[in-house]
Amino acid sequence: MLKRHARTACTALAAAGLLLAGTGGATADSAPAAPSAATTLRTADAPPELLAAMQRDLGLTPTQAKARLAHEAEAGATAARLRDRLGAAFAGAWVDGADAATLTVATTRAADTAAIRATGAEAKLVTRALADLDSAKAALDRAATTGTPVRYVDPRSNTLVVEEAEPGAAARLLAATGTDAALVTVVRTAEAPRPLYDLRGGDAYYMNGSGRCSVGFPVTKGTVNGFATAGHCGRAGTTTSGFNQVAQGSFQASVFPGNDMAWVAANTQWASTPYVKGSGGANVQVTGSVLQPVGASVCRSGSTTGWHCGTIQQHGTSVTYPEGTISGVTRTTVCAEPGDSGGSYISGSQAQGVTSGGSGNCSSGGTTFFQPLNPILSAYGLTLKVTGSDPGPGPGPGEPEPGGTWKAGTVYAAGATVTHGGASYRCIQGHQAQPGWEPPNVPALWQRL
């Protein structure tokens, strides 16, 4: 590990996802159209510094950058609905194109392709379901060493990819686990992932007065302010000071390896803000925590290299560092360097996760991994600090809140079911619930049953 010391708007997919029989327009008696995913996630409000970084790092025009965020939001919602519909036949989804206008959904069942195309997505018929490849990867994870440092399911190739740092390491791993070689694509790599050691997301903080990491996302727990960050940055009880070297707080809980998650409770001098440090130090607003699909753009803020963007390569990746294996991280093309650990990954205004580790640097490029944020919020009972959310119409004066099991602040995984206002709903995209995102208001996140 490297430890840094103190010295150093488009709606095409929305329309496709809401296909109606016939071509007639809405009538005066029609129910108002449900808000699109792009509207729900407020992609039109993306700050200029985020759009500028996407243009720089992804080679986009201003128009493409704006369109990409809208398309990614719609694609995530469409893919989530199809995953629920396809069930065990679902084999993954991804977006392509400079503006992410093409969504592809894979299935093992030929009969599903018409339903996929009816949403505006492209259909790909494959032989292996995502659940089967995930199961095979889990067996490899239990036996992996640094000779096979990275393993992930690649939905585009419908295979399980094993990165091999030592000749023959992948073959030994497959033999030891009895894994069918036909499921696996072996990729030779010279990379050696390591945690990127070193209350606004991306700002520096210092552990026990020496090592440096980066704030992930400001949170609250009851009346306590704090932030989520990487577990390898400190253990429970490790004290922290802020970017200005003023006493800040201490780690309350930490997991590493296995996962790479932690949270720090701050003292009363520090207040959580709903921001990530963007390009030039500008504030980038955080409005939620909806995880975006493979192929989506993502930007990272860290105290060493600042603000950089790339794309999401795979979710559910497993990485073996010298200290042990972590699972469930997301692989990206964003660069990072020591000291960036723990820092923020954000897609549009949606918090994605905190920097775990990676390879390369921001001069020659690299690969990084982030620990998704929603599991951190759920594990420690934290509430993401957000801003700019629309409270929605809500009940009128004197009217009771609708009954049900849905509750703001709860982290819902895809597939979770709740009741609200007398109806039942299934979660189609994992997120932390917040006021204004009640199930009837956000069809991009909830499907009525």
Side-chain angles (χ1 to χ4, degrees), residues 46-153:
E49 55 272 12
L50 183 142
L51 295 170
M54 291 175 64
Q55 293 167 49
R56 179 196 66 199
D57 294 341
L58 297 175
L60 305 178
T61 66
T63 299
Q64 287 173 328
K66 292 177 182 179
R68 184 173 184 121
L69 293 176
H71 287 150
E72 288 169 355
E74 303 300 347
T78 299
R81 286 190 287 265
L82 285 169
R83 179 170 189 160
D84 183 67
R85 178 172 180 174
L86 301 184
F90 180 76
W94 59 93
V95 294
D96 288 305
D99 59 0
T102 302
L103 168 67
T104 302
V105 176
T107 180
T108 60
R109 196 165 47 212
D112 294 330
T113 57
I116 293 171
R117 294 189 183 105
T119 69
E122 294 188 359
K124 184 174 182 179
L125 185 63
V126 297
T127 58
R128 306 178 187 99
L130 183 62
D132 294 334
L133 291 172
D134 282 340
S135 177
K137 186 179 77 67
L140 298 184
D141 291 347
R142 291 189 288 269
T145 68
T146 54
T148 51
V150 178
R151 291 124 356 245
Y152 55 84
V153 173

Side-chain angles (χ1 to χ4, degrees), residues 11-20 74 118-119:
T11 59
L13 285 176
L18 297 170
L19 289 176
L20 302 175
E74 303 300 347
T119 69

Side-chain angles (χ1 to χ4, degrees), residues 194-284:
R194 77 284 189 203
L196 295 172
Y197 276 106
D198 216 49
L199 276 169
R200 176 177 61 168
D203 277 340
Y205 69 92
Y206 299 87
M207 299 82 72
N208 290 335
S210 56
R212 172 168 59 84
C213 277
S214 301
V215 173
F217 289 93
V219 298
T220 58
K221 186 168 185 176
T223 60
V224 176
N225 292 291
F227 59 88
T229 190
H232 73 261
C233 289
R235 297 302 184 192
T238 298
T239 59
T240 67
S241 56
F243 64 90
N244 51 7
Q245 297 287 1
V246 171
Q248 182 188 64
S250 63
F251 279 73
Q252 301 300 294
S254 176
V255 177
F256 179 79
N259 297 116
D260 199 356
M261 61 173 67
W263 85 281
V264 171
N267 60 40
T268 56
Q269 290 180 276
W270 295 80
S272 296
T273 68
Y275 303 117
V276 167
K277 183 179 181 180
S279 179
N283 287 335
V284 176

Side-chain angles (χ1 to χ4, degrees), residues 4 15 31 45 157 179 210 223 261 277 301 305 316 345 370 380 393 402:
R4 181 71 75 182
D45 297 334
S157 65
T179 301
S210 56
T223 60
M261 61 173 67
K277 183 179 181 180
S301 183
T305 59
Y345 281 77
F370 68 75
Y380 301 134

Side-chain angles (χ1 to χ4, degrees), residues 435-447:
W437 282 13
E438 291 82 2
N441 297 342
V442 284
L445 305 180
W446 292 98
Q447 181 177 35

Side-chain angles (χ1 to χ4, degrees), residues 301-327:
S301 183
S303 60
T304 298
T305 59
W307 185 252
H308 289 274
C309 298
T311 59
I312 293 172
Q313 298 299 97
Q314 285 86 25
H315 294 301
T317 300
S318 298
V319 183
T320 301
Y321 297 133
E323 295 74 22
T325 292
I326 61 170
S327 297

